[in-house]
Amino acid sequence: MSADEPDAPGDAVDGDQEDSADVEDVEVTTVHRKDGVDQITERSVLLDTGDEEIVETFQVVDGEHEYLGDGNPDQRALDALEARF
């Protein structure tokens, strides 16, 4: 990837390239639950590549999606949330 090319799904930060499969289907599920007096909203994104299913979960905090997993979420999941919300 040159400096003139845009980032693409699967581009790694440290120069390593991981394979990126096309997403065949995306499902977003929203759950609202009470925690005492607070209402908590969580969204799960299911990415189906045909070979595997990837699930990323986020909590909505002040209108932003905060990742609940370890490390970094799949960028395609963030893109799906941005497109929908």
Side-chain angles (χ1 to χ4, degrees):
M1 183 172 87
S2 73
D4 296 333
E5 295 178 39
D7 291 339
D11 285 351
V13 176
D14 296 321
D16 297 323
Q17 181 71 30
E18 64 182 55
D19 292 334
S20 176
D22 291 331
V23 175
E24 292 180 3
D25 189 30
V26 176
E27 294 179 24
V28 178
T29 304
T30 301
V31 175
H32 302 283
R33 61 183 172 86
K34 285 280 203 181
D35 183 17
V37 295
D38 297 326
Q39 178 170 315
I40 296 174
T41 301
E42 292 181 356
R43 291 198 172 104
S44 293
V45 180
L46 169 70
L47 303 169
D48 185 352
T49 66
D51 294 328
E52 67 178 327
E53 291 182 344
I54 302 165
V55 177
E56 302 286 23
T57 304
F58 302 83
Q59 182 172 339
V60 180
V61 178
D62 296 328
E64 298 291 323
H65 291 97
E66 186 175 293
Y67 184 53
L68 295 179
D70 295 330
N72 295 314
D74 190 301
Q75 184 61 44
R76 297 169 295 183
L78 288 171
D79 293 343
L81 288 174
E82 183 177 302
R84 287 177 167 80
F85 301 99

Coordinates of all heavy atoms in Angstrom, one line a residue:
M1 N 0.9 -1.2 0.0 CA 0.0 0.0 0.0 C 0.9 1.2 0.0 O 1.8 1.4 0.8 CB -0.9 0.0 1.3 CG -1.9 1.1 1.3 SD -3.1 1.0 2.6 CE -2.1 1.7 3.9
S2 N 0.7 2.1 -0.9 CA 1.4 3.4 -1.0 C 0.7 4.4 -0.2 O -0.4 4.3 0.2 CB 1.6 3.8 -2.4 OG 0.4 4.3 -2.9
A3 N 1.4 5.6 0.0 CA 0.8 6.7 0.8 C -0.4 7.3 0.1 O -1.3 7.9 0.7 CB 1.8 7.7 1.0
D4 N -0.5 7.1 -1.3 CA -1.6 7.6 -2.1 C -2.8 6.7 -2.0 O -3.9 7.2 -2.4 CB -1.1 7.8 -3.5 CG 0.0 8.8 -3.6 OD1 0.0 9.7 -2.8 OD2 0.8 8.7 -4.6
E5 N -2.7 5.5 -1.6 CA -3.9 4.6 -1.6 C -4.6 4.7 -0.2 O -4.0 4.8 0.8 CB -3.4 3.1 -1.7 CG -2.8 2.9 -3.1 CD -2.3 1.4 -3.1 OE1 -3.0 0.5 -2.6 OE2 -1.2 1.2 -3.7
P6 N -5.9 4.7 -0.3 CA -6.7 4.7 1.0 C -6.6 3.4 1.7 O -6.2 2.4 1.2 CB -8.1 4.9 0.5 CG -8.2 4.3 -0.9 CD -6.8 4.6 -1.4
D7 N -6.8 3.5 3.1 CA -6.8 2.3 3.9 C -8.0 1.4 3.5 O -9.1 1.9 3.1 CB -7.0 2.7 5.4 CG -5.8 3.4 5.9 OD1 -4.7 3.2 5.3 OD2 -5.9 4.1 6.9
A8 N -7.8 0.2 3.5 CA -8.9 -0.8 3.2 C -9.0 -1.8 4.3 O -8.1 -1.9 5.1 CB -8.4 -1.6 1.9
P9 N -10.2 -2.4 4.4 CA -10.4 -3.4 5.5 C -9.3 -4.5 5.4 O -8.9 -4.9 4.3 CB -11.7 -4.0 5.1 CG -12.5 -3.0 4.3 CD -11.4 -2.3 3.6
G10 N -8.7 -4.8 6.5 CA -7.7 -5.8 6.5 C -6.3 -5.2 6.6 O -5.3 -5.9 6.9
D11 N -6.2 -3.9 6.4 CA -4.9 -3.2 6.5 C -4.5 -3.2 8.0 O -5.2 -2.7 8.8 CB -4.9 -1.8 5.9 CG -4.9 -1.8 4.4 OD1 -4.8 -2.8 3.8 OD2 -5.1 -0.7 3.9
A12 N -3.3 -3.6 8.3 CA -2.8 -3.7 9.7 C -2.0 -2.4 9.9 O -1.5 -1.8 9.0 CB -2.0 -4.9 9.9
V13 N -2.0 -2.0 11.2 CA -1.3 -0.8 11.6 C 0.2 -0.9 11.5 O 0.8 0.1 11.0 CB -1.7 -0.4 13.1 CG1 -0.9 0.8 13.5 CG2 -3.2 -0.2 13.2
D14 N 0.8 -2.0 11.8 CA 2.2 -2.1 11.8 C 2.8 -2.6 10.5 O 4.0 -3.1 10.5 CB 2.6 -3.1 12.9 CG 2.2 -2.6 14.3 OD1 2.4 -1.4 14.6 OD2 1.8 -3.4 15.1
G15 N 2.1 -2.5 9.4 CA 2.7 -2.8 8.1 C 2.4 -4.3 7.8 O 2.7 -4.7 6.7
D16 N 1.9 -5.1 8.7 CA 1.6 -6.5 8.4 C 0.2 -6.5 7.7 O -0.6 -5.7 8.0 CB 1.5 -7.3 9.7 CG 2.8 -7.4 10.4 OD1 3.8 -7.5 9.7 OD2 2.8 -7.4 11.6
Q17 N 0.0 -7.3 6.7 CA -1.2 -7.4 6.0 C -2.0 -8.7 6.4 O -1.4 -9.7 6.2 CB -1.0 -7.4 4.5 CG -2.2 -7.4 3.6 CD -3.0 -6.1 3.7 OE1 -2.4 -5.0 3.9 NE2 -4.3 -6.1 3.6
E18 N -3.2 -8.5 6.9 CA -4.0 -9.7 7.2 C -5.0 -9.8 6.1 O -5.4 -8.8 5.5 CB -4.7 -9.6 8.5 CG -5.7 -8.4 8.7 CD -6.3 -8.3 10.0 OE1 -5.5 -8.2 11.0 OE2 -7.5 -8.3 10.1
D19 N -5.4 -11.0 5.8 CA -6.4 -11.2 4.7 C -7.7 -10.7 5.1 O -8.1 -10.7 6.3 CB -6.6 -12.7 4.4 CG -5.4 -13.3 3.8 OD1 -4.6 -12.6 3.1 OD2 -5.1 -14.5 4.0
S20 N -8.4 -10.1 4.2 CA -9.7 -9.5 4.5 C -10.8 -10.1 3.5 O -10.6 -10.0 2.3 CB -9.7 -8.0 4.2 OG -11.0 -7.4 4.4
A21 N -11.7 -10.8 4.1 CA -12.8 -11.4 3.4 C -13.9 -10.4 3.2 O -14.2 -9.5 4.0 CB -13.3 -12.6 4.1
D22 N -14.6 -10.5 2.0 CA -15.8 -9.6 1.8 C -16.9 -10.1 2.7 O -17.1 -11.2 3.0 CB -16.2 -9.8 0.3 CG -15.3 -9.2 -0.6 OD1 -14.5 -8.2 -0.3 OD2 -15.2 -9.6 -1.8
V23 N -17.6 -9.1 3.2 CA -18.8 -9.4 4.1 C -20.0 -9.6 3.2 O -20.4 -8.8 2.4 CB -19.0 -8.2 5.0 CG1 -20.2 -8.4 5.9 CG2 -17.8 -7.9 5.9
E24 N -20.6 -10.8 3.4 CA -21.8 -11.2 2.7 C -23.0 -10.7 3.3 O -24.0 -10.4 2.7 CB -21.9 -12.7 2.5 CG -20.8 -13.3 1.7 CD -20.8 -14.8 1.6 OE1 -21.8 -15.4 2.1 OE2 -20.0 -15.4 0.9
D25 N -23.0 -10.6 4.7 CA -24.2 -10.1 5.4 C -23.8 -9.5 6.7 O -22.8 -9.8 7.3 CB -25.1 -11.4 5.7 CG -26.5 -11.0 6.3 OD1 -27.0 -9.9 5.9 OD2 -27.0 -11.7 7.0
V26 N -24.6 -8.4 7.1 CA -24.4 -7.7 8.3 C -25.7 -7.6 9.1 O -26.7 -7.3 8.5 CB -23.9 -6.3 8.1 CG1 -23.7 -5.5 9.4 CG2 -22.5 -6.3 7.3
E27 N -25.7 -8.0 10.3 CA -26.8 -7.9 11.2 C -26.5 -7.0 12.4 O -25.4 -7.3 13.0 CB -27.4 -9.2 11.6 CG -27.9 -10.1 10.5 CD -28.4 -11.4 11.0 OE1 -28.7 -11.6 12.2 OE2 -28.4 -12.4 10.2
V28 N -27.3 -6.1 12.8 CA -27.1 -5.3 14.0 C -28.2 -5.5 14.9 O -29.4 -5.3 14.5 CB -26.9 -3.8 13.6 CG1 -26.7 -2.9 14.9 CG2 -25.8 -3.5 12.6
T29 N -27.9 -5.8 16.2 CA -28.9 -6.1 17.2 C -28.7 -5.0 18.3 O -27.6 -4.8 18.8 CB -28.8 -7.5 17.8 OG1 -28.8 -8.4 16.7 CG2 -29.9 -7.7 18.8
T30 N -29.8 -4.4 18.7 CA -29.7 -3.4 19.8 C -30.5 -3.9 21.0 O -31.6 -4.4 20.8 CB -30.3 -2.0 19.3 OG1 -29.6 -1.6 18.2 CG2 -30.3 -1.0 20.4
V31 N -29.9 -3.8 22.1 CA -30.5 -4.3 23.4 C -30.5 -3.1 24.4 O -29.4 -2.5 24.6 CB -29.7 -5.5 24.0 CG1 -30.3 -5.9 25.3 CG2 -29.7 -6.7 23.0
H32 N -31.6 -2.9 25.0 CA -31.8 -1.8 26.0 C -32.0 -2.6 27.3 O -32.9 -3.4 27.4 CB -32.9 -0.9 25.8 CG -32.8 -0.2 24.4 ND1 -32.0 0.9 24.2 CD2 -33.4 -0.4 23.3 CE1 -32.1 1.3 23.0 NE2 -33.0 0.5 22.4
R33 N -31.2 -2.3 28.4 CA -31.5 -2.9 29.7 C -31.3 -1.9 30.8 O -30.6 -0.9 30.6 CB -30.6 -4.2 29.8 CG -29.1 -3.9 29.8 CD -28.3 -5.2 29.9 NE -26.9 -4.9 29.7 CZ -26.0 -4.6 30.7 NH1 -26.4 -4.4 31.9 NH2 -24.8 -4.3 30.4
K34 N -31.9 -2.2 31.9 CA -31.8 -1.4 33.1 C -30.7 -1.9 34.0 O -30.6 -3.1 34.2 CB -33.1 -1.3 33.9 CG -34.2 -0.5 33.2 CD -34.0 0.9 33.5 CE -35.2 1.7 33.4 NZ -35.1 3.1 33.7
D35 N -29.9 -1.0 34.5 CA -28.9 -1.3 35.5 C -29.1 -0.3 36.7 O -28.6 0.8 36.7 CB -27.5 -1.2 35.0 CG -26.4 -1.5 36.0 OD1 -26.7 -2.2 37.0 OD2 -25.2 -1.2 35.7
G36 N -30.0 -0.7 37.6 CA -30.4 0.2 38.7 C -31.3 1.3 38.0 O -32.3 0.9 37.4
V37 N -30.9 2.5 38.1 CA -31.7 3.6 37.5 C -31.2 4.0 36.1 O -31.9 4.7 35.4 CB -31.7 4.9 38.4 CG1 -32.4 4.6 39.7 CG2 -30.3 5.4 38.6
D38 N -30.1 3.4 35.7 CA -29.5 3.7 34.4 C -30.0 2.8 33.4 O -30.1 1.6 33.6 CB -27.9 3.6 34.5 CG -27.3 4.6 35.4 OD1 -27.9 5.8 35.5 OD2 -26.3 4.3 36.1
Q39 N -30.2 3.3 32.2 CA -30.6 2.4 31.0 C -29.3 2.3 30.2 O -28.6 3.3 29.8 CB -31.7 3.0 30.2 CG -32.0 2.1 29.0 CD -33.2 2.6 28.2 OE1 -34.2 2.8 28.8 NE2 -33.1 2.6 26.9
I40 N -29.0 1.0 29.9 CA -27.8 0.7 29.1 C -28.2 0.2 27.7 O -29.1 -0.6 27.6 CB -26.9 -0.3 29.8 CG1 -26.4 0.3 31.2 CG2 -25.7 -0.7 29.0 CD1 -25.7 -0.7 32.0
T41 N -27.6 0.8 26.7 CA -27.8 0.4 25.3 C -26.6 -0.3 24.8 O -25.5 0.3 24.8 CB -28.3 1.5 24.4 OG1 -29.4 2.1 25.0 CG2 -28.5 1.1 23.0
E42 N -26.7 -1.5 24.3 CA -25.6 -2.2 23.7 C -26.0 -2.6 22.3 O -27.2 -2.9 22.0 CB -25.3 -3.5 24.5 CG -24.7 -3.2 25.8 CD -24.3 -4.5 26.6 OE1 -24.6 -5.6 26.1 OE2 -23.7 -4.3 27.7
R43 N -25.1 -2.6 21.4 CA -25.3 -3.1 20.0 C -24.3 -4.1 19.6 O -23.1 -4.0 19.9 CB -25.2 -1.9 19.0 CG -26.3 -0.9 19.2 CD -26.5 0.0 18.0 NE -27.7 0.8 18.2 CZ -27.7 2.1 18.5 NH1 -26.6 2.7 18.7 NH2 -28.8 2.7 18.6
S44 N -24.7 -5.2 19.0 CA -23.9 -6.3 18.5 C -23.9 -6.3 17.0 O -25.0 -6.1 16.5 CB -24.3 -7.6 19.1 OG -24.1 -7.7 20.5
V45 N -22.8 -6.4 16.4 CA -22.7 -6.4 14.9 C -22.2 -7.8 14.6 O -21.2 -8.3 15.0 CB -21.8 -5.4 14.4 CG1 -21.7 -5.4 12.9 CG2 -22.2 -4.0 14.9
L46 N -23.0 -8.5 13.7 CA -22.6 -9.8 13.2 C -22.2 -9.6 11.7 O -22.9 -9.1 10.9 CB -23.8 -10.8 13.2 CG -23.6 -12.1 12.5 CD1 -22.5 -13.0 13.2 CD2 -24.9 -12.9 12.4
L47 N -20.9 -9.9 11.5 CA -20.4 -9.9 10.1 C -20.2 -11.3 9.6 O -19.5 -12.1 10.2 CB -19.0 -9.2 10.1 CG -18.9 -7.8 10.7 CD1 -17.5 -7.4 10.9 CD2 -19.7 -6.8 9.8
D48 N -20.9 -11.6 8.5 CA -20.8 -13.0 7.9 C -20.0 -12.9 6.7 O -20.5 -12.2 5.7 CB -22.2 -13.5 7.7 CG -22.3 -14.9 7.2 OD1 -21.2 -15.5 6.9 OD2 -23.3 -15.5 7.1
T49 N -18.9 -13.5 6.6 CA -18.0 -13.5 5.4 C -18.2 -14.7 4.6 O -17.6 -14.8 3.5 CB -16.5 -13.4 5.8 OG1 -16.2 -14.6 6.5 CG2 -16.2 -12.2 6.7
G50 N -19.1 -15.6 5.0 CA -19.3 -16.8 4.2 C -18.4 -17.9 4.8 O -18.8 -19.1 4.9
D51 N -17.1 -17.6 5.2 CA -16.2 -18.5 5.8 C -16.3 -18.5 7.3 O -16.0 -19.5 8.0 CB -14.8 -18.3 5.4 CG -14.6 -18.5 3.9 OD1 -15.2 -19.4 3.3 OD2 -13.7 -17.8 3.3
E52 N -16.6 -17.3 7.9 CA -16.7 -17.2 9.3 C -17.7 -16.1 9.7 O -18.1 -15.3 8.9 CB -15.3 -16.8 9.9 CG -14.8 -15.5 9.5 CD -13.5 -15.1 10.2 OE1 -13.2 -15.5 11.3 OE2 -12.7 -14.4 9.5
E53 N -18.1 -16.1 10.9 CA -19.0 -15.1 11.5 C -18.2 -14.4 12.6 O -17.7 -15.0 13.5 CB -20.3 -15.7 12.0 CG -21.2 -16.2 10.9 CD -22.5 -16.8 11.5 OE1 -22.6 -17.0 12.7 OE2 -23.4 -17.0 10.6
I54 N -18.2 -13.1 12.5 CA -17.5 -12.3 13.5 C -18.6 -11.4 14.2 O -19.4 -10.8 13.6 CB -16.5 -11.3 12.8 CG1 -15.5 -12.1 12.0 CG2 -15.8 -10.4 13.8 CD1 -14.7 -11.3 11.0
V55 N -18.5 -11.4 15.6 CA -19.4 -10.7 16.4 C -18.6 -9.6 17.2 O -17.7 -10.0 17.9 CB -20.3 -11.5 17.3 CG1 -21.2 -10.7 18.2 CG2 -21.1 -12.5 16.5
E56 N -19.0 -8.4 17.1 CA -18.4 -7.3 17.8 C -19.5 -6.6 18.6 O -20.6 -6.4 18.1 CB -17.7 -6.3 16.9 CG -16.6 -6.9 16.0 CD -15.3 -7.2 16.7 OE1 -15.3 -7.4 17.9 OE2 -14.3 -7.3 16.0
T57 N -19.2 -6.3 19.9 CA -20.2 -5.7 20.8 C -19.8 -4.4 21.3 O -18.6 -4.2 21.7 CB -20.5 -6.7 22.0 OG1 -20.9 -7.9 21.5 CG2 -21.7 -6.1 22.8
F58 N -20.7 -3.4 21.3 CA -20.4 -2.1 21.6 C -21.5 -1.6 22.6 O -22.6 -2.0 22.6 CB -20.5 -1.1 20.4 CG -19.5 -1.5 19.3 CD1 -19.8 -2.5 18.4 CD2 -18.3 -0.9 19.2 CE1 -19.0 -2.9 17.4 CE2 -17.4 -1.3 18.2 CZ -17.7 -2.2 17.3
Q59 N -21.1 -0.6 23.5 CA -22.0 0.0 24.4 C -22.2 1.5 23.9 O -21.2 2.1 23.5 CB -21.6 0.0 25.8 CG -22.5 0.7 26.8 CD -22.1 0.4 28.2 OE1 -21.4 -0.5 28.5 NE2 -22.6 1.3 29.1
V60 N -23.4 2.0 23.9 CA -23.6 3.4 23.5 C -23.4 4.3 24.7 O -24.1 4.1 25.7 CB -25.0 3.6 22.9 CG1 -25.2 5.0 22.5 CG2 -25.2 2.6 21.7
V61 N -22.4 5.1 24.6 CA -22.1 6.0 25.7 C -22.0 7.4 25.1 O -21.2 7.7 24.2 CB -20.7 5.7 26.3 CG1 -20.4 6.7 27.4 CG2 -20.7 4.3 26.8
D62 N -22.9 8.3 25.6 CA -23.0 9.7 25.1 C -23.1 9.7 23.6 O -22.5 10.6 22.9 CB -21.8 10.5 25.6 CG -21.8 10.7 27.1 OD1 -22.9 10.7 27.7 OD2 -20.7 10.7 27.7
G63 N -23.9 8.8 23.0 CA -24.1 8.8 21.5 C -23.0 8.2 20.7 O -23.1 8.1 19.5
E64 N -21.9 7.7 21.4 CA -20.8 7.1 20.7 C -20.8 5.6 21.0 O -21.2 5.2 22.0 CB -19.4 7.7 21.1 CG -19.3 9.2 20.8 CD -19.2 9.5 19.4 OE1 -18.6 8.7 18.6 OE2 -19.8 10.5 18.9
H65 N -20.2 4.8 20.1 CA -20.1 3.4 20.3 C -18.8 3.0 20.9 O -17.7 3.3 20.3 CB -20.3 2.6 18.9 CG -21.7 2.7 18.4 ND1 -22.1 3.7 17.5 CD2 -22.8 2.0 18.7 CE1 -23.3 3.5 17.2 NE2 -23.8 2.5 18.0
E66 N -18.8 2.5 22.1 CA -17.6 2.1 22.9 C -17.4 0.6 22.8 O -18.3 -0.1 23.2 CB -17.7 2.6 24.3 CG -16.5 2.4 25.1 CD -16.7 3.0 26.5 OE1 -16.8 4.2 26.6 OE2 -16.7 2.2 27.5
Y67 N -16.3 0.2 22.3 CA -16.1 -1.3 22.1 C -15.9 -2.0 23.4 O -15.2 -1.5 24.3 CB -14.8 -1.4 21.3 CG -14.5 -2.9 20.9 CD1 -15.4 -3.7 20.3 CD2 -13.2 -3.4 21.2 CE1 -15.1 -5.0 19.9 CE2 -12.9 -4.7 20.8 CZ -13.8 -5.5 20.2 OH -13.5 -6.8 19.8
L68 N -16.6 -3.1 23.6 CA -16.6 -3.9 24.8 C -15.6 -5.1 24.8 O -15.5 -5.7 25.8 CB -18.0 -4.4 25.1 CG -19.0 -3.3 25.4 CD1 -20.4 -3.9 25.7 CD2 -18.6 -2.4 26.6
G69 N -15.0 -5.3 23.7 CA -14.0 -6.4 23.6 C -12.6 -6.0 23.9 O -12.3 -4.9 24.3
D70 N -11.7 -7.0 23.8 CA -10.3 -6.8 24.0 C -9.7 -6.3 22.7 O -10.1 -6.7 21.6 CB -9.6 -8.0 24.4 CG -10.1 -8.5 25.8 OD1 -10.4 -7.7 26.6 OD2 -10.1 -9.7 26.0
G71 N -8.7 -5.5 22.7 CA -8.0 -5.0 21.5 C -8.8 -4.0 20.7 O -9.5 -3.2 21.3
N72 N -8.8 -4.1 19.4 CA -9.6 -3.2 18.6 C -10.6 -4.0 17.8 O -10.4 -5.1 17.4 CB -8.6 -2.6 17.5 CG -7.6 -1.7 18.2 OD1 -7.9 -0.9 19.1 ND2 -6.3 -1.9 17.8
P73 N -11.8 -3.3 17.6 CA -12.9 -4.0 16.9 C -12.5 -4.1 15.4 O -11.7 -3.3 14.9 CB -14.1 -3.1 17.1 CG -13.5 -1.8 17.3 CD -12.2 -2.0 18.0
D74 N -13.2 -5.0 14.7 CA -13.1 -5.1 13.2 C -13.7 -3.8 12.6 O -14.8 -3.3 13.0 CB -13.9 -6.3 12.7 CG -13.7 -6.6 11.3 OD1 -13.9 -5.7 10.4 OD2 -13.3 -7.7 11.0
Q75 N -12.9 -3.1 11.8 CA -13.3 -1.8 11.2 C -14.6 -1.9 10.5 O -15.4 -1.0 10.4 CB -12.2 -1.3 10.3 CG -12.5 0.1 9.7 CD -12.6 1.2 10.8 OE1 -11.8 1.2 11.7 NE2 -13.6 2.0 10.7
R76 N -14.9 -3.1 9.9 CA -16.1 -3.3 9.1 C -17.3 -3.2 10.0 O -18.4 -2.7 9.6 CB -16.1 -4.6 8.4 CG -15.0 -4.7 7.3 CD -14.8 -6.0 6.8 NE -14.3 -6.9 7.8 CZ -14.0 -8.2 7.6 NH1 -14.1 -8.7 6.4 NH2 -13.6 -9.0 8.6
A77 N -17.2 -3.6 11.3 CA -18.3 -3.5 12.3 C -18.5 -2.0 12.6 O -19.7 -1.5 12.7 CB -18.0 -4.2 13.6
L78 N -17.5 -1.2 12.8 CA -17.6 0.2 13.0 C -18.2 0.9 11.8 O -19.1 1.8 12.0 CB -16.2 0.8 13.3 CG -15.6 0.5 14.7 CD1 -14.2 1.0 14.8 CD2 -16.5 1.1 15.8
D79 N -17.8 0.5 10.6 CA -18.4 1.1 9.4 C -19.9 0.8 9.3 O -20.7 1.7 8.9 CB -17.7 0.6 8.2 CG -16.3 1.0 8.1 OD1 -15.9 2.0 8.8 OD2 -15.5 0.4 7.3
A80 N -20.3 -0.4 9.7 CA -21.8 -0.8 9.7 C -22.5 0.1 10.7 O -23.6 0.5 10.4 CB -21.9 -2.3 10.0
L81 N -22.0 0.3 11.9 CA -22.7 1.1 12.8 C -22.8 2.5 12.4 O -23.8 3.2 12.5 CB -22.0 1.0 14.2 CG -22.1 -0.3 15.0 CD1 -21.2 -0.2 16.2 CD2 -23.5 -0.5 15.3
E82 N -21.7 3.1 11.8 CA -21.7 4.4 11.3 C -22.7 4.6 10.2 O -23.4 5.7 10.2 CB -20.3 4.8 10.8 CG -20.2 6.3 10.4 CD -18.8 6.6 10.0 OE1 -17.9 6.4 10.8 OE2 -18.6 7.0 8.8
A83 N -22.9 3.6 9.4 CA -23.8 3.7 8.3 C -25.3 3.7 8.8 O -26.1 4.3 8.1 CB -23.6 2.6 7.3
R84 N -25.5 3.0 9.9 CA -26.9 2.9 10.4 C -27.3 3.9 11.4 O -28.5 4.2 11.6 CB -27.1 1.5 10.9 CG -27.1 0.4 9.9 CD -27.2 -1.0 10.5 NE -27.6 -2.0 9.5 CZ -26.8 -2.6 8.7 NH1 -25.5 -2.2 8.6 NH2 -27.2 -3.5 7.9
F85 N -26.3 4.4 12.2 CA -26.7 5.3 13.3 C -26.0 6.6 13.2 O -25.0 6.9 13.4 CB -26.4 4.6 14.7 CG -27.1 3.3 14.8 CD1 -26.5 2.1 14.5 CD2 -28.5 3.3 15.1 CE1 -27.2 0.9 14.7 CE2 -29.2 2.1 15.3 CZ -28.5 0.9 15.0

